[in-house]
Amino acid sequence: MSASETIAAIITAPGEAGVSIVRVSGPEAFEIADKIFKCNAPAPSLRKANTFVYGKITDGDVEVDEGLLLIFRAPHSYTAEDVVEFQCHGGGTSAKRVLRSCFHAGARAADAGEFTRRAFLNGRIDLLQAEAIMDLVRAHSDRSQTAALQQLEGKLSQSFQDLYDRLLQVAAQLEATLDFPEDELPASVLPQILSNLSKAEQDLDFLLSTWNEGHVLRDGALVVLSGKPNVGKSTLLNTLLGHERAIVSDIAGTTRDSIEAEFILEGIPLRLVDTAGLRESVDVIEQQGIIRTRDYLSKADLHIHLIDLSQKADSQTYENFEDLIPGKSILVCNKSDLPRMFHVEQWPTGIPIVETAIKDEIGYQELKNALASLLSSSIDLSARPHAVISERHRLVLVEVKTELAGIKDLLSGCMGDEALVLAIPGLREALVRLGEVTGREYHEDLLDEVFSTFCIGK
Ligand SMILES: Nc1nc2c(ncn2[C@@H]2O[C@H](COP(=O)(O)OP(=O)(O)OP(=O)(O)O)[C@@H](O)[C@H]2O)c(=O)[nH]1
Ligand SMILES: [Mg+2]
């Protein structure tokens, strides 16, 4: 992979559409445009930046499409290189023919994420901003999209920069301290260093506290519907989605396999999972389904457990209650429209209980409110969306936190030269790791890891 090569890819989604765009980036972008784009004079390479022109796109002697050519000159382009973009016709064929023509004229196919990787390598954006671009593309809700936009605008980069600068200041203070003979060290130095370290720890803890929200906004909160067969799980899934996604019937054991569907609640993406009903079963397929239910329950962010008020409680009911976790689970007492047969000695404690007749949408709004209330423990719904860290960033922060705790212990014990000498490498390591989040420090493996999640054309 070399920036001396000119790369090309279709940057719009496949499928029928009015327009598709082919981007070409690199030193030969204009040479390629001159070869394949026929327009009124002047030729593309002689045209001004940030202009567009109509013309015919050719491959050798063959005209392959007509469209617009957009002109960007380094460093004012997506990649910060010379870039031309062909706006041609959408659909399965036109853009592919235009792309092939670019290859014949000297471009090579761009790898997944290569345009954005070049934008990073050319210093136009940092690694956090590069990741934000993919988060934007993948955002499932307004809130996720706004958080990604904030990250692209550099809000998260600034927080990491502030943390980095504070630790750099501590490193400088420690190095300076080494120059003093031990008995001449000013008394104020150690408290200053420790206070800076504590402030860094606070900033770090704040960033870490945004992880759960980041996980929910990027991946969606996994909300698992569970309960005995026939309690109304699939009816609830369909009601939430507003269409008949799962089969509903009065035969217990209708849902055999887990069914996942996306649902947006208050701007937050949820991955709803309808599951096979929990019961003792001799049916091998049903047993497999129940294993999957258990697997989903172990990974769930939130859990809606349903019971049927028209049926008597039994030992399975109590066994299922053991899966309920305060702060994570809601108990839905369904079929309240039917004569009540359900009685238990002991209701689970600390679990919100909502009575419903889902079939008639009774109690449905209360259930959505209870769900939003549980979600608000990881996301402050009243606050404006803000940039939040991802799993990659969390792993680095956890390491840096451990490193800082070790340094604080060393320095709190004594302020001898030995402690200083031991503390300095730890701090340097913490700075290197922190630098990897924004890409101030990077190596090929790190870039491969980050950009491997990108798609072609991004
Ligand atoms: N009376 C009444 N019937 C309901 C209600 N909710 C669901 N049902 C009925 O209960 C039956 C079972 O509903 P499902 O949604 O298939 O139940 P399930 O929990 O998915 O069942 P399995 O897939 O077998 O585990 C269907 O006949 C529904 O129409 C309700 O609130 N009141
Ligand atoms: Mg079902």
Side-chain angles (χ1 to χ4, degrees):
M1 206 179 272
S2 154
S4 65
E5 292 172 319
T6 299
I7 54 173
I10 302 170
I11 63 171
T12 40
E16 281 187 23
V19 173
S20 280
I21 302 177
V22 176
R23 177 182 286 156
V24 182
S25 176
E28 288 172 42
F30 288 110
E31 212 177 305
I32 290 168
D34 282 352
K35 276 188 204 162
I36 70 170
F37 194 78
K38 306 299 168 213
C39 56
N40 289 335
S45 61
L46 301 173
R47 287 179 176 267
K48 281 195 185 142
N50 308 326
T51 58
F52 65 90
V53 55
Y54 167 81
K56 309 270 185 200
I57 304 152
T58 58
D59 189 356
D61 296 334
V62 183
E63 183 182 313
V64 292
D65 201 5
E66 56 172 22
L68 298 179
L69 179 77
L70 280 68
I71 292 166
F72 305 89
R73 291 190 183 274
H76 304 293
S77 71
Y78 185 81
T79 55
E81 300 172 337
D82 282 343
V83 167
V84 292
E85 286 179 8
F86 299 92
Q87 282 193 5
C88 56
H89 288 102
T93 314
S94 299
K96 280 189 193 152
R97 292 189 79 187
V98 173
L99 181 63
R100 247 189 337 258
S101 172
C102 294
F103 294 156
H104 294 156
R108 74 152 167 82
D111 289 325
E114 196 172 359
F115 291 118
T116 311
R117 190 173 180 138
R118 286 188 176 197
F120 164 72
L121 290 170
N122 292 325
R124 194 180 69 74
I125 51 172
D126 67 21
L127 217 44
L128 280 166
Q129 292 171 307
E131 288 174 313
I133 291 168
M134 218 45 229
D135 288 340
L136 266 178
V137 171
R138 299 217 167 107
H140 293 275
S141 74
D142 288 3
R143 205 177 177 92
S144 316
Q145 194 261 359
T146 308
L149 201 56
Q150 299 253 325
Q151 185 172 330
L152 180 62
E153 284 168 3
K155 301 282 191 315
L156 202 54
S157 307
Q158 190 56 53
S159 303
F160 274 92
Q161 183 64 46
D162 293 346
L163 181 58
Y164 188 94
D165 288 346
R166 198 179 287 287
L167 290 183
L168 202 60
Q169 197 184 350
V170 175
Q173 283 173 318
L174 280 177
E175 304 262 6
T177 310
L178 269 183
D179 296 337
F180 280 97
E182 213 170 304
D183 45 356
E184 288 175 27
L185 196 67
S188 61
V189 169
L190 179 61
Q192 258 177 29
I193 293 178
L194 287 174
S195 144
N196 267 333
L197 275 175
S198 297
K199 283 188 194 133
E201 275 181 325
Q202 280 167 16
D203 292 350
L204 198 147
D205 283 338
F206 172 74
L207 281 168
L208 274 174
S209 74
T210 68
W211 175 78
N212 205 13
E213 180 167 354
H215 151 66
V216 168
L217 290 183
R218 287 188 180 89
D219 309 328
L222 186 64
V223 181
V224 178
L225 312 182
S226 77
K228 289 201 288 185
N230 232 10
V231 292
K233 301 178 292 298
S234 301
T235 308
L236 174 57
L237 178 85
N238 291 346
T239 306
L240 284 165
L241 298 180
H243 63 93
E244 301 296 302
R245 174 71 178 81
I247 299 172
V248 166
S249 88
D250 56 4
I251 302 165
T254 300
T255 307
R256 296 292 190 95
D257 207 347
S258 307
I259 300 175
E260 202 173 313
E262 195 179 290
F263 180 69
I264 309 291
L265 182 73
E266 310 239 359
I268 298 174
L270 308 181
R271 289 164 57 205
L272 289 177
V273 189
D274 179 21
T275 59
L278 295 163
R279 67 170 169 187
E280 290 296 329
S281 171
V282 287
D283 183 308
V284 187
I285 299 171
E286 195 173 348
Q287 280 174 358
Q288 286 298 320
I290 292 171
I291 291 172
R292 286 184 188 192
T293 304
R294 293 246 151 259
D295 187 40
Y296 266 115
L297 277 175
S298 69
K299 293 187 288 200
D301 292 304
L302 297 178
H303 168 205
I304 301 178
H305 185 74
L306 290 93
I307 55 161
D308 179 346
L309 287 177
S310 71
Q311 299 294 318
K312 286 186 174 150
D314 58 17
S315 59
Q316 181 74 54
T317 309
Y318 287 102
E319 199 180 302
N320 292 347
F321 279 178
E322 285 170 22
D323 291 329
L324 299 174
I325 302 172
K328 197 168 158 174
S329 308
I330 298 172
L331 181 58
V332 173
C333 301
N334 194 31
K335 305 199 188 180
S336 63
D337 53 311
L338 297 178
R340 187 176 184 130
M341 301 298 290
F342 188 89
H343 296 286
V344 281
E345 295 289 317
Q346 179 83 47
W347 287 92
T349 47
I351 307 292
I353 298 178
V354 186
E355 208 167 289
T356 61
I358 295 294
K359 209 166 78 150
D360 304 322
E361 296 199 16
I362 294 169
Y364 176 61
Q365 190 54 45
E366 287 76 1
L367 171 56
K368 286 212 293 191
N369 293 346
L371 201 54
S373 162
L374 281 195
L375 276 169
S376 64
S377 65
S378 44
I379 298 181
D380 181 359
L381 294 170
S382 60
R384 289 159 63 106
H386 55 104
V388 283
I389 65 165
S390 73
E391 180 63 6
R392 181 178 83 84
H393 316 143
R394 187 186 74 85
L395 290 174
V396 170
L397 287 174
V398 167
E399 271 183 47
V400 172
K401 191 177 157 96
T402 312
E403 203 72 69
L404 293 193
I407 293 168
K408 259 178 94 177
D409 278 355
L410 266 176
L411 296 181
S412 309
C414 69
M415 194 55 185
D417 271 2
E418 203 182 323
L420 287 175
V421 169
L422 287 173
I424 288 170
L427 201 54
R428 283 202 195 115
E429 179 58 24
L431 281 166
V432 169
R433 295 291 285 128
L434 215 48
E436 286 179 0
V437 175
T438 53
R440 172 197 283 267
E441 304 268 350
Y442 69 86
H443 42 85
E444 286 303 307
D445 289 351
L446 172 67
L447 297 191
D448 288 347
E449 181 198 320
V450 169
F451 289 101
S452 65
T453 62
F454 278 54
C455 47
I456 300 277
K458 210 56 244 161

